[in-house]
Structures are given as structure tokens and as C-alpha cells.
Amino acid sequence: MTSNTRVVVIGAGLAGVTLARRLGELGTPALVVGDEEHRPYNRVLLAEVLAGRYGPEVVALPEPAELIRARVTGIDRAGRSVRCADGSLIAYDTLVLATGSNAVLPPLRGLFTPDHELPEGVHAFRTMDDCLGLSKAVRPGVRAVVIGGGLLGVSAARALAVRGAQVVLAQQSERLMERQLDPAASGLVRRHLEDLGVEVHTECRVRDVRSVGGAVRSVEMADGYALGADLVVLACGVRPRTGLAEAAGLEVAKGVVVDDELRTSDPHVRAVGDCAQHAGTVYGLAAPALEQAGALAALLAGDTTARYAGTRSLTRLTLTGPDSPFDLAAFGETDPRPGDDVVQLADATRGTYRKVVVRDDRLVGGVLVGELGTVGALARAWEGAEPLPSDGGPLLHLLTNDGGS
Ligand SMILES: Cc1cc2nc3c(=O)[nH]c(=O)nc-3n(C[C@H](O)[C@H](O)[C@H](O)COP(=O)(O)OP(=O)(O)OC[C@H]3O[C@@H](n4cnc5c(N)ncnc54)[C@H](O)[C@@H]3O)c2cc1C
């Protein structure tokens, strides 16, 4: 079967679906090809599905007008067509790669069964299938070990604890969410997890996964200490999904290299979202994926002036539990350099913490935990990168004024 569709998008995730929707609004239809069997969904909300707060239908994205469920296995750039796993060919004039990322599987002994499968009870945390698999297995009292203490590991540990599991979180480095948070904010996240009953181990390296009869039984640390486990969650980061691009001879570094028009090294192929690398950066976050999709939709619909100039990305995490909502936001550089001005407000009783870092009268970073009223005003000051007024009060004002956010 050969069909003639002008714009073909590979990947029905946040970037691909948003691009197709915007293009539709601009009168340029696109065909989306996605390999997940579920209705397209917002991956950012998977932890809320795992926590039992939302059903899968709540996190669904609006379905693109033209969606084919198939896995693309190859790109013929000379013939301008893609091949799907079932052998069908789809012709394109413009191809968009929106293939997202894969979970990184850490090099642990015993992670794979002799059939190269993960043992029963061991799950990555990337897809709806991962989430439904975990959700089915979690029961009150189940022993769960989460490997990795970044944003994903923290969200997974919290969701499993809310479902009544006995959770141990093993983090290799010295603190949680170290990419986004400074030590004080990280300490509050740890306290929050511990209040939910999660046992947090930092500077702790998992070495082995032990299974019996194909089902996980324990994980072993580098120091030989063994932890019994019925469930193991691998939250060790993600890697851009670039296999198709590489096989097609496109320029790939960490991600598929794109310019300000989201164009790859082939002018007929663009890339957006987690799989794309723009100006040396692979973001791996929702806001840049949405911005890139918006810019590309404008370009493909004929706005020749549209450009993507990079995203100053704010990481925001809202975890709403039965009786303990927990919010945090972080942006820019949260660890000051010598000479920077820092303002910090901490309230140990309420578990709130706010800090901003200012360099040469410009806001360069900040972190807020527990109290996000000022996040809108801070994000605007940061995104605008405008000099702050120099009358001495603006930092405190930014931290204490809720600023209509
Ligand atoms: C649990 C979790 C929590 C997160 N929380 C946050 C958060 O709080 N804030 C934040 O900013 N970001 C968060 N993220 C990251 C965010 O989800 C991603 O940045 C975003 O989904 C990227 O969108 P995308 O469309 O590029 O990729 P994806 O959403 O991964 O979509 C890519 C799609 O392409 C499909 N695909 C790939 N290859 C093929 C092929 N060959 N043929 C057909 N289809 C293919 C994939 O199956 C997938 O459906 C989180 C991610 C996870 C997993």
C-alpha cells in the first residue's frame, strides 16, 4: 500500500500530536504514525495514573485526525517514503521525527532473563504499558525498590508509596533530583518521601538483580547488602530515540541534530521533542517539545519567519497525595557562583523553601518548594532576562509577592 501524504510525523507523543493538531488548525493536514497501542497520552501525568489519582483516559491527548498505529522501521530518503513493520510504505514530502526517548536500562548483573526479557516484576517507567504493568502489580505491603533518584524515580517512589507499597529508593549520587535542586530543596524532597514511608538511600549503587523462576526476588548493592523486592522500577534516565535517523544517515549527536527551523541534515526531514538536539541541547522535557512543535507547525504552514530559539525550561513537579500535596519548581542555575547574590526563605515547620540566585542584576536561577505562589512572577523575570530594578528590594519582592501567577 502506498499513500500520498504531504507531512508525515513519526511518533504520537506530546510533540507529534501537538504538531499535528496545530497543523490541522492552520489548514495543513498531517499523518501521524505511532507505535503505542493506547490512545495518545500525556506522559508527564503517568505518575498520577500510577498513584491511582487519574484513570488512563484522563491523561489522553486529543487523537490526531489521521493516525496510523504502526512502527516505522526504515526511512528511504532518496525515495521519500517510510517503511512500517507490516511492510507498508508511506510517502512523504516532509517527514518529522518525533520519536521521543527510551528509558536507559542500567548495566546491572541479572537484569535480563536468558530470553533477553526483564524479569517479572522489573519495570522501566516511560510508557503507559510500564505504568499499567506497575499499577497491576502494586498492592499494600508489596516491597518495591526504585533505582534512581531523579525526577522520574522520585515521582515513581511517591506514587508507589501512596498505593501502600513499602518503597526503598536507591540513589547513586549524594542527593535526590540533583540536576534540578540545590541541597536544601533536595533535603525537603527527601523528607517529604520519608514522611510517606519511603526509605531513601543515597550514595548507594545497585549491582545485581536476583530472580527466581523468571521473577525478581531481590536487588543487591555494591557493598553486598541485599534488599528483598517484589517490584523494581528502573528510573535511571532516558536516551533520545535516534535509531531510525542514524540508520538513514542523518546527523546524530546525543539527539538528531536540528537547526532553528527544526531541520535535520536532510532538508525534507525535521525533528522535534525529546529525540531532537538543538544548539547542543537535548531537553527531555515537555515545555521545549511543545514549543518546538508550535514553531514547526508555523513553518510548515508557510510562516517562513518562524524560528525555534531554544527554551529556558522550568521544571515543575506537582504531586498531589491523599493529604499531602507537594509542589516544587526549579529553573536555571540553583547553585550560586562566587559573587552571586542569593536570597533564601525557609520555613522548616511548613516544609517550604524559596531561593533565587542573581548575577549582575539578572535572575539566573531559583528553586521553590512547597509554596509556588511566586513562580509565575519569577519565571517571567527569568525568561525575560531583564535587569532587575536596583533599589534593594526586588529580590525579596520576587520571593514574597504572589504577582498574579
Ligand atoms: C513518568 C514521566 C514523568 C515525566 N514528568 C515530566 C515533568 O514533570 N515535566 C516535564 O517537563 N517532562 C516530564 N517528562 C518528560 C516528558 O514526558 C517528555 O519530555 C515528553 O513526553 C516528550 O515528548 P515527545 O513527543 O518528544 O516524546 P514521547 O512522549 O516519548 O513520544 C514519542 C512517541 O513516539 C513513538 N515512537 C518512537 N519510535 C517510533 C517508531 N519507529 N514508529 C512509530 N512510533 C514511534 C513512541 O512510542 C512514543 O509514543 C516525564 C516523562 C515521564 C516518562
Side-chain angles (χ1 to χ4, degrees), residues 75-334:
I75 302 169
D76 172 3
R77 292 205 283 133
R80 288 211 210 134
S81 68
V82 297
R83 176 177 294 279
C84 298
D86 63 4
S88 60
L89 294 177
I90 301 171
Y92 66 82
D93 291 322
T94 296
L95 181 67
V96 182
L97 302 173
T99 49
S101 319
N102 280 326
V104 170
L105 300 182
L108 305 178
R109 276 200 304 244
L111 186 59
F112 292 101
T113 64
D115 305 331
H116 304 288
E117 304 279 339
L118 291 176
E120 192 187 323
V122 179
H123 299 262
F125 190 38
R126 175 77 198 167
T127 64
M128 181 62 87
D129 279 343
D130 294 333
C131 182
L132 295 179
L134 276 166
S135 206
K136 208 167 142 199
V138 66
R139 292 178 309 281
V142 133
R143 296 166 310 164
V145 176
V146 177
I147 305 178
L151 179 69
L152 283 188
V154 167
S155 319
R158 189 180 187 286
L160 292 170
V162 167
R163 296 279 302 272
Q166 287 174 36
V167 187
V168 175
L169 173 59
Q171 160 73 325
Q172 194 161 332
S173 67
E174 63 184 19
R175 62 176 205 256
L176 299 176
M177 291 183 67
E178 57 172 355
R179 271 180 60 197
Q180 293 92 7
L181 302 182
D182 68 343
S186 209
L188 282 176
V189 172
R190 180 176 185 145
R191 199 179 92 185
H192 172 77
L193 289 180
E194 287 172 347
D195 286 348
L196 286 169
V198 177
E199 199 178 307
V200 179
H201 295 264
T202 47
E203 295 181 89
C204 154
R205 200 165 64 76
V206 174
R207 188 178 63 184
D208 260 294
V209 172
R210 298 269 165 88
S211 312
V212 175
V216 68
R217 284 286 176 271
S218 63
V219 297
E220 197 175 293
M221 307 299 168
D223 63 6
Y225 185 72
L227 282 170
D230 308 304
L231 270 184
V232 173
V233 182
L234 305 170
C236 304
V238 295
R239 188 171 292 133
R241 214 162 146 176
T242 56
L244 278 177
E246 269 169 84
L250 296 171
E251 188 187 348
V252 173
K254 281 175 286 176
V256 184
V257 175
V258 293
D259 63 14
D260 290 357
E261 294 177 49
L262 288 319
R263 194 181 273 128
T264 68
S265 53
D266 176 340
H268 297 283
V269 184
R270 316 278 182 132
V272 287
D274 276 16
C275 71
Q277 174 172 335
H278 175 264
T281 301
V282 174
Y283 290 95
L285 289 169
L290 296 175
E291 260 189 60
Q292 291 171 1
L296 184 56
L299 278 160
L300 296 181
D303 176 357
T304 52
T305 62
R307 293 291 179 273
Y308 174 71
T311 303
R312 307 194 75 190
S313 202
L314 176 104
T315 304
R316 194 165 174 165
L317 188 63
T318 302
L319 299 163
T320 321
D323 46 25
S324 55
F326 185 73
D327 297 314
L328 66 86
F331 56 92
E333 299 174 49
T334 55

Side-chain angles (χ1 to χ4, degrees), residues 331-366:
F331 56 92
E333 299 174 49
T334 55
D335 282 325
R337 289 191 206 153
D340 289 348
D341 289 321
V342 179
V343 177
Q344 252 166 285
L345 296 177
D347 181 335
T349 322
R350 291 169 61 213
T352 63
Y353 174 73
R354 312 177 197 188
K355 164 174 150 182
V356 292
V357 180
V358 173
R359 183 175 307 145
D360 302 329
D361 292 332
R362 282 184 165 75
L363 188 59
V364 294

Side-chain angles (χ1 to χ4, degrees), residues 346-399:
D347 181 335
T349 322
R350 291 169 61 213
T352 63
Y353 174 73
R354 312 177 197 188
K355 164 174 150 182
V356 292
V357 180
V358 173
R359 183 175 307 145
D360 302 329
D361 292 332
R362 282 184 165 75
L363 188 59
V364 294
V367 53
L368 304 172
V369 181
E371 173 50 77
L372 262 51
T374 54
V375 70
L378 282 171
R380 283 191 292 276
W382 178 64
E383 280 158 12
E386 295 190 351
L388 299 167
S390 55
D391 62 8
L395 290 183
L396 262 182
H397 179 74
L398 275 174
L399 280 179

